[in-house]
């Protein structure tokens, strides 16, 4: 977990526009039960204006973790 996290964080530093890197990091967090970190990483994408909220949600939905999609959608609606 730690090594994968560090690699993806470094990848974000190098290329902050690649949404797939954020999604991969979020996947690592969600599979390790770190929902708060997951939401923070996904929110960074919106905060950095890399992608619109709908584009981000579409990318999450087509990935292999539908539960995260629902949690993040609820999180955004609560903001």
């Amino acid at each position: 977990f730690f090594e994968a996290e560090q690699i993806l964080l470094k990848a974000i530093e190098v290329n902050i526009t690649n949404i797939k890197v954020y999604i991969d990091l979020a996947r690592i967090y969600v599979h390790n039960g770190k929902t708060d970190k997951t939401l923070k990483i996904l929110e960074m994408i919106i905060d950095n204006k890399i992608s619109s909220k709908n584009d981000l949600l579409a990318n999450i939905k087509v990935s292999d973790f539908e539960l995260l999609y629902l949690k993040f959608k609820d999180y955004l609606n609560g903001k």
Side-chain angles (χ1 to χ4, degrees):
F1 166 78
F2 180 76
E3 288 175 1
E5 177 189 29
Q6 293 307 305
I7 290 167
L8 290 171
L9 287 171
K10 191 64 175 172
I12 287 172
E13 274 182 41
V14 173
N15 182 7
I16 64 166
T17 60
N18 189 344
I19 195 170
K20 295 200 179 300
V21 176
Y22 288 87
I23 297 280
D24 287 344
L25 185 56
R27 182 179 291 118
I28 287 172
Y29 287 146
V30 81
H31 287 299
N32 283 281
K34 299 184 181 295
T35 306
D36 289 345
K37 276 190 158 187
T38 303
L39 296 175
K40 186 175 179 181
I41 285 295
L42 296 176
E43 191 175 61
M44 283 173 55
I45 300 168
I46 294 171
D47 289 346
N48 291 334
K49 308 240 184 304
I50 292 171
S51 177
S52 73
K53 178 171 72 172
N54 290 337
D55 288 344
L56 175 60
L57 289 173
N59 273 285
I60 295 171
K61 193 170 185 180
V62 299
S63 72
D64 63 344
F65 47 112
E66 295 283 328
L67 182 59
L68 176 61
Y69 166 78
L70 296 173
K71 284 184 179 181
F72 191 59
K73 191 170 181 179
D74 289 344
Y75 172 77
L76 290 175
N77 289 334
K79 277 191 97 178

